[in-house]
Amino acid sequence: MNNSKMLWRLLLVALLVVASPICKAHAMINGLTGTSFNFTAKSGHITAGDGASLLFWGFADTSPTGSGVVQYPGPTLILREGDTVTVTLSNQLAEPVSLLFPGMTMISSTAPVFNGGSKAKLSSLAPEALPNGTQTYTFKATKPGTYYYESGSNQPIQLRMGLFGGIVVRPATYKALPLPNVVPYGLNAFADPPANTTRHPQVRTNYNDSTGIGGVAYNPSNAGDLTTAYDREYLVIASEMDPDFQKWMEFGGTYDLSKWRSNYWFFNGRNAPDTMDMPNSAVLPTQPYNTMPLAHPGERVLIRLVNMGQEFHPFHHHGNHSRVIAVDGNLLSSNPAASGADLAWLAFTETLIPGKTMDTIFTWTGANLGWDIYSDSPRVRPYEYMADHGKTYQPNILPAQPQTTPPVPTPALKLPPQAVPVILPTIEQIIAGANYSGSPYLGMSAPLTPGEGGFNPLNGYFYMFHSHAELEITNNNTFPGGMLTMMGIVPWPDPALGPLDNLDPATDMYMP
Amino acid sequence: MKFMQLKIPTLGLLLLTATLSATPALAATVTYNLRADLGSITMPDATVVPVWGFADDTAGANSGTVTVPGPQLKAAPGDTLVINLSNRLTVPVSIIIPGQRLIPTPTSAGGRVMSFANEVAAGATSALTFTPLKAGTFLYESGTNHASQLPMGLYGPLVVGPGVTGQAYPPTATNAGTTYDREEVLLFSDILARFDKTLNKYVTYNSDMVAGSNPNIANYSTLYYLINGKSFPDTLTPGVSAPPGQRTLLRILNASGHNYMPEISGTYYDAAATPQPHAFSTQVIAEDGNLYRFAKPGVAMVLPAGKTLDAMLDLSGAGSQGYYAVYDRRLGLTNASKFPGGMLTFVASWGPTENCSPFKGDVNGDGRVDLIDVILTLRLVLSGGYNANADVAPVSLSGLPCGNGAAGGALTIADALLLLQKAIGLNSY
């Protein structure tokens, strides 16, 4: 291989890395906020993970500030408990469309539509928008939680075509955060603008103070209730498609609906690897939502799961168990100090059930890895799980870890810091691993030594989140694809590299 | 060998039964004479599906009609249920009730189990005894060649209860809401079919079975989705009723080989001076006849094959009438692939003396509300006549045409006006 060819290859690799979806991952729930929304039902095409173009029907945000682009799934509504919400639906499809809001308190009429008053001519389960017509729905978001909306018309066709979307209702005590909920990127050559490198400002112990600061999924049962507090939240809407059905809808011909069989499986309307691309990616104009959960070690990550398909999916995640705290917007956990029962459960595979939602809290602390993820003993890092690598447990500093509660170590149980010898790979050796930090240690986010790697925009550990029905991590019979994405555990930024709020010099801990 | 494995626990159960045979003093023996026989059911699209089903012959030999599902059996907790099963099919049948105790005598042929329970040969009659009965909702079904005999229609609901008046189960401190005012049985099942390219039409599994072609069930998929043996819109007759102000227990069963997701939710207005809207869904209080420690609320219920659920539809706070959809969220909402159909029905929520049917207004009974009905109503208004179907004013909070009720009984111009709106599509009730 001559030098010029090698140079081209290196350039190509560099280009691929820059274009790598992971290095621009986004950490929040994308959606619409407010109390008044304009939807238009129309058709469009999505791009499946293998490049197939499939017809779908969806909703477009056609409010004055909306994109107007039809999307799969429909726009996520992010509401606040107690809000009275109006959705005006315009219909550009050739058949009536209506909207159901299960779990919402409907104020506008819920009367089903029977054409001509004939029982056999049921058109919609709710008031409908006729083709080129409109219909207005008004409801009250009575209860915090995760919900969905879906068409109430010709459901066997319209729900398979994509006429649904997610609803997040935040509790009345929820306060918007002063900074965007964006994971800080690595302070390296590929870093995002400095605005995004500020450490996430939430302080967990303040979530449930009397002023109700920060993110809770549900109203706390009392001031000490931490069970639904979270640092970051993500929404995952599962759905499926049978490409033969979509083709039949587009081109006609013969199709037997009783033989409908899914062959594409979606998280937030995308198949892997597109699940990991940026939200609002220019190459996926009708699929604006990604599925790329990111978190710092120890953060509580609320994952809101919705199944808008018709099949059951085992949603499996690596890295840790998560705690299911609510189903269909009904809280399962209560404060252990209170008299109520705690019905939450731990699982590493949550069953996604058609028409149901589930809220889970995931935390990754590095527990039981057997090595100090920061390789900096005896310093104690935020929310670090120390029991298995020799650091002193400080219960007065560390917040409770609800899933992997660290045992209070006795001196006899203390392990020496484990110094795993690390030979940093050379640049040629790590081109395939764009997110390899150059070390098994998570550490703090900082640039690698010059010449060592450099392809590590997030420096994190990546764990697969996917359907454990392995058939469903394919795109039309090709692995990998389908319901598959990665969860990134991203190091906290190294305080040595810049000013950080709330760093207590005495304890080297981030203090509330 | 398999036969031996089954026989050993049978002996154990016999001994156990002997020790428990002292039944409570109040327990009764409830006897049903069921006949397994050939019959047929008709789908809303007029397709006739041959079935094997159960008929209630309690009134006399061969007196009953085969229905799918079979007749609802009722008994009280602690009772002994005796089913005298007479078999008029050409194959052996039996009955098992998962969750209820039977002393089984399995039948095998050539080392292969043929029936899980006491087999009744073609043409024979034999008694099956289940005792003591446990409270709850249960499925009785064929215990013989289930994979074939269940799709053919050999199943039905058994309701054991209430024990104490109005209680589905003895309440517990954490699941206290077991008291109900009325109950409804919703039995989900389906009809399988294949598409015959030669005939260019669907052929049901049942037709192939009756034709004796020994079909392979794996080659069939669901064509008709049934609630209580009917597909929408036949499910509306008589339909499900849950009046406002009452707690209705929905006894939900799945006799099919597939998993379904009944979804029921809605909003009612309370009875306050200024009525307020409230969203509601069902509370599943029990599963397979076992009371949960805590009820499970939710808009959709997981109903796997062979499962029974007891779901409370609590409209005790409701002051408004309603017409609430019940539909399978797994989209079994078609009849032979055509919407609307399938596992879809509505809960009619109005009082016994009211009629808020959204199908009111069809004065001449031609199946639709049109200008002729408006004219007929106007005539009645002018002549002082009355027709309950035309009595649609006032419209309730939910938009349903409840009429003036029995006390009113008079038609006014308001009725005609509402009907006119309905006829020209301005009023959706």
Side-chain angles (χ1 to χ4, degrees), chain A residues 223-482:
Chain A
D225 182 6
L226 277 164
T227 51
T228 76
Y230 62 91
D231 297 273
R232 298 173 190 285
E233 62 176 339
Y234 299 91
L235 175 68
V236 180
I237 299 176
S239 59
E240 318 104 14
M241 279 189 184
D242 174 355
D244 292 338
F245 171 79
Q246 310 300 129
K247 283 177 205 156
W248 172 64
M249 288 298 291
E250 183 161 19
F251 303 113
T254 54
Y255 180 80
D256 181 354
L257 194 61
S258 72
K259 292 284 193 296
W260 183 93
R261 192 176 168 209
S262 57
N263 213 349
Y264 285 106
W265 293 272
F266 300 86
F267 281 158
N268 290 333
R270 294 182 184 181
N271 308 122
D274 299 339
T275 46
M276 292 170 272
D277 199 348
M278 278 289 283
N280 302 310
S281 164
V283 297
L284 298 165
T286 56
Q287 297 149 279
Y289 300 152
N290 73 343
T291 311
M292 190 68 215
L294 296 174
H296 292 310
E299 286 188 326
R300 292 166 64 94
V301 185
L302 173 66
I303 300 179
R304 301 173 180 270
L305 300 164
V306 182
N307 187 353
M308 285 287 86
Q310 57 172 300
E311 295 176 339
F312 294 76
H313 303 289
F315 177 77
H316 174 64
H317 46 74
H318 298 191
N320 201 356
H321 304 247
S322 62
R323 179 170 289 266
V324 181
I325 60 161
V327 172
D328 290 358
N330 295 299
L331 194 58
L332 296 167
S333 58
S334 59
N335 191 327
S339 57
D342 187 354
L343 304 179
W345 70 86
L346 286 178
F348 54 75
T349 304
E350 286 96 37
T351 311
L352 304 187
I353 302 169
K356 287 184 92 72
T357 74
M358 203 179 255
D359 292 334
T360 73
I361 299 229
F362 176 92
T363 302
W364 189 91
T365 60
N368 306 320
L369 277 184
W371 73 76
D372 176 358
I373 55 168
Y374 299 104
S375 184
D376 62 354
S377 182
R379 291 212 312 181
V380 174
R381 295 297 184 182
Y383 313 125
E384 182 174 356
Y385 181 85
M386 300 159 298
D388 60 350
H389 45 75
K391 293 184 184 177
T392 309
Y393 178 59
Q394 298 174 54
N396 56 331
I397 293 176
L398 292 169
Q401 297 292 346
Q403 296 155 56
T404 51
T405 307
V408 177
T410 62
L413 285 175
K414 279 187 183 173
L415 301 171
Q418 295 181 40
V420 179
V422 178
I423 300 166
L424 292 180
T426 61
I427 193 166
E428 292 84 358
Q429 287 172 299
I430 61 169
I431 51 172
N435 286 286
Y436 180 51
S437 72
S439 163
Y441 297 105
L442 188 68
M444 288 303 195
S445 181
L448 289 180
T449 318
E452 302 292 351
F455 294 134
N456 57 334
L458 294 173
N459 301 336
Y461 291 160
F462 284 83
Y463 292 100
M464 211 165 126
F465 273 32
H466 63 105
S467 168
H468 220 302
E470 312 294 355
L471 170 71
E472 298 174 355
I473 53 173
T474 60
N475 292 330
N476 208 354
N477 199 34
T478 303
F479 172 87

Side-chain angles (χ1 to χ4, degrees), chain A residues 100 102-107 109-114 116-123 125 127 142 148 150 152-156 159-160 164 256-259 307-312 327-328 330 341 343 353-356, chain B residues 193-195 202 219 221-223 232-233 236-237 259-261 263 265-267 269 277-279 294 297-302 323 325 327 329-331 333-334 337 339-340 344 346 358-359 367-369 398-399 422 428-429:
Chain A
L100 302 176
M104 301 292 128
T105 300
M106 296 307 297
I107 294 170
S109 167
T110 55
V113 180
F114 291 88
S118 164
K119 285 179 187 173
K121 289 185 183 162
L122 173 71
S123 183
L125 300 180
T142 328
Y148 57 87
E150 62 181 16
S153 310
N154 197 8
Q155 290 175 314
L159 296 189
R160 283 179 170 105
F164 50 74
D256 181 354
L257 194 61
S258 72
K259 292 284 193 296
N307 187 353
M308 285 287 86
Q310 57 172 300
E311 295 176 339
F312 294 76
V327 172
D328 290 358
N330 295 299
L343 304 179
I353 302 169
K356 287 184 92 72
Chain B
R194 62 182 170 87
F195 191 77
Y202 292 109
N219 297 334
S221 45
T222 307
L223 192 65
F232 181 88
L236 298 180
T237 315
N259 308 320
Y260 293 107
M261 289 292 307
E263 179 154 343
S265 67
T267 298
Y269 282 82
H278 299 273
F294 300 89
V299 295
M301 292 169 270
V302 187
Y323 201 62
Y327 62 101
R329 186 54 188 72
R330 300 202 67 204
L331 308 182
L333 304 172
T334 49
S337 301
F339 178 87
L344 170 62
F346 287 83
F359 308 108
R368 60 206 156 109
V369 178
S398 58
K422 175 80 174 172
S428 61
Y429 77 75

Side-chain angles (χ1 to χ4, degrees), chain B residues 232-306:
Chain B
F232 181 88
D234 294 353
T235 50
L236 298 180
T237 315
V240 183
S241 170
Q246 293 195 8
R247 293 164 59 85
T248 301
L249 180 69
L250 305 177
R251 297 182 179 272
I252 303 174
L253 310 91
N254 184 351
S256 79
H258 304 101
N259 308 320
Y260 293 107
M261 289 292 307
E263 179 154 343
I264 306 173
S265 67
T267 298
Y268 62 69
Y269 282 82
D270 62 25
T274 310
Q276 295 299 308
H278 299 273
F280 69 86
S281 60
T282 54
Q283 297 259 352
V284 182
I285 62 165
E287 171 176 328
D288 292 343
N290 295 301
L291 188 70
Y292 286 146
R293 279 192 69 203
F294 300 89
K296 294 182 183 176
V299 295
M301 292 169 270
V302 187
L303 184 64

Side-chain angles (χ1 to χ4, degrees), chain B residues 11 65-66 72 132 148 187 225 251 263-264 276 291 298 417:
Chain B
L11 282 171
T65 306
V66 167
Q72 181 185 323
S148 173
L187 191 150
Y225 301 84
R251 297 182 179 272
E263 179 154 343
I264 306 173
Q276 295 299 308
L291 188 70
L417 205 57

Side-chain angles (χ1 to χ4, degrees), chain B residues 45-106:
Chain B
D45 60 9
T47 300
V48 176
V49 180
V51 295
W52 294 349
F54 292 112
D56 185 358
D57 275 358
T58 305
N62 301 327
S63 64
T65 306
V66 167
T67 56
V68 173
Q72 181 185 323
L73 310 184
K74 279 285 277 188
D79 282 356
T80 295
L81 172 68
V82 176
I83 299 175
N84 295 314
L85 176 60
S86 123
N87 181 7
R88 298 242 299 185
L89 295 170
T90 54
V91 293
V93 295
S94 58
I95 286 180
I96 56 170
I97 308 178
Q100 298 292 3
R101 203 170 66 176
L102 164 79
I103 299 162
T105 311

